[in-house]
Amino acid sequence: MTASKLVFLDIDGTLADENHVVPDSAREACAEAQRNGHKLFICTGRSMPKIEHSILDLGFDGVVSVAGAQANVGDRLLFQHLVPPEAMDAAMEYFRVHHIENYQWQGADGMYISEGYRRHLESKGKAFNRGEFARFWHLIDEVDVPAGSTLGHTIRASKGSYFTGPDPDVTFEETKRDLAPWFELVHGSYDKISPNNGELLIAGYDKGTAVRDVAAALGYSIADTIAIGDSDNDTAMLKAAGTSVAMGNAIHGIEKFCTIQTTDIHDDGIANAFKTLGLV
């Protein structure tokens, strides 16, 4: 059995499948790894209010959320970074100019969504105003922005995300270039909805900086950290960790720079990775 490791697990496509279900083999492997003295952190692009209780109740040692902008250990907030007002306002103007109608801002206060994103959710049968997350969803058009102020100065968020329609007038690479003064853009998890999508991360903070900062706070060396993910928005943490694992269902070519590749999420991917790495 290996000495204590600090393990970071992405949620979507890694810990949980497309139906937000965590396979039994992953549940059992996580519990056994913790019994063996390892610490497990969720490391997700989602904000805390967007993580299901069924996942949080599995008993992870901590949560890195909003793509590395926030970290919690139990009730203790390790750190929290917010999108600067001028950055959010610049992105909102960019969305307006380029007719990007589907976007949201996420943070500890909830999810702030455009009218276009609301229509998308409802077209998929996902009513944003019902269920366990209902009180955390907010329509941007209904936010009370004081006269003379802006959305950026009114709401608190730590990450943005968007996807375009089928015939966008800007590519992902162009958007990444244009918003570079304010954000670092990575491919998001909307590939099945639109190939032109992205996550807007606060410049200077991502899942990789979170891995390093959490490890330092808990007294772990980077050599004793492990990151497991499935897509481009996991790249920073995979490159930062001492050991990196790509899921068998990985996309965006991340397996090319990972230490190992495990099996598909539906083929005991987490459990097999933990066995290979000596965590269980």
Side-chain angles (χ1 to χ4, degrees), residues 12 186-193 197-199 231 233 251-252:
D12 299 297
V186 297
H187 289 288
S189 54
Y190 299 117
D191 280 3
K192 293 182 179 179
I193 302 169
N197 70 86
E199 294 189 359
S231 65
N233 56 13
I251 57 177
H252 303 137

Side-chain angles (χ1 to χ4, degrees), residues 177-207:
R177 178 201 65 206
D178 295 342
L179 294 181
W182 301 279
F183 297 97
E184 173 65 30
L185 260 69
V186 297
H187 289 288
S189 54
Y190 299 117
D191 280 3
K192 293 182 179 179
I193 302 169
S194 168
N196 189 342
N197 70 86
E199 294 189 359
L200 284 65
L201 312 184
I202 302 172
Y205 300 104
D206 54 33
K207 288 186 178 183

Side-chain angles (χ1 to χ4, degrees), residues 23-174:
D24 289 340
S25 62
R27 292 172 179 267
E28 294 163 4
C30 287
E32 184 176 350
Q34 287 176 305
R35 288 194 296 270
N36 289 337
H38 307 294
K39 291 193 180 296
L40 272 57
F41 270 64
I42 290 172
C43 193
T44 180
R46 300 193 207 177
S47 56
M48 282 292 288
K50 205 176 182 183
I51 304 174
E52 295 93 342
H53 289 302
S54 59
I55 291 178
L56 293 174
D57 289 346
L58 293 178
F60 289 90
D61 296 285
V63 178
V64 171
S65 58
V66 277
Q70 180 173 324
N72 295 75
V73 178
D75 295 328
R76 180 163 63 108
L77 179 66
L78 283 184
F79 55 80
Q80 181 187 60
H81 307 290
L82 300 175
V83 175
E86 61 275 14
M88 186 182 298
D89 293 338
M92 292 292 289
E93 176 63 11
Y94 189 85
F95 293 156
R96 185 191 67 80
V97 169
H98 293 286
H99 311 290
I100 297 173
E101 299 181 347
N102 309 291
Y103 55 87
Q104 67 172 310
W105 298 100
Q106 296 183 49
D109 298 336
M111 293 73 70
Y112 296 85
I113 62 174
S114 66
E115 175 62 20
Y117 192 83
R118 181 196 68 78
R119 290 196 300 268
H120 162 72
L121 290 176
E122 294 195 345
S123 73
K124 300 297 181 181
K126 299 177 180 178
F128 74 97
N129 56 354
R130 293 199 295 272
E132 67 175 295
F133 302 133
R135 65 191 177 96
F136 296 112
W137 288 100
H138 311 282
L139 274 173
I140 290 174
D141 288 348
E142 295 179 357
V143 173
D144 184 16
V145 178
S149 189
T150 65
L151 184 73
H153 286 87
T154 304
I155 69 173
R156 287 160 43 93
S158 295
K159 189 195 81 167
S161 60
Y162 75 93
F163 62 90
T164 71
D167 189 25
D169 66 352
V170 285
T171 65
F172 168 82
E173 293 300 332
E174 289 170 335

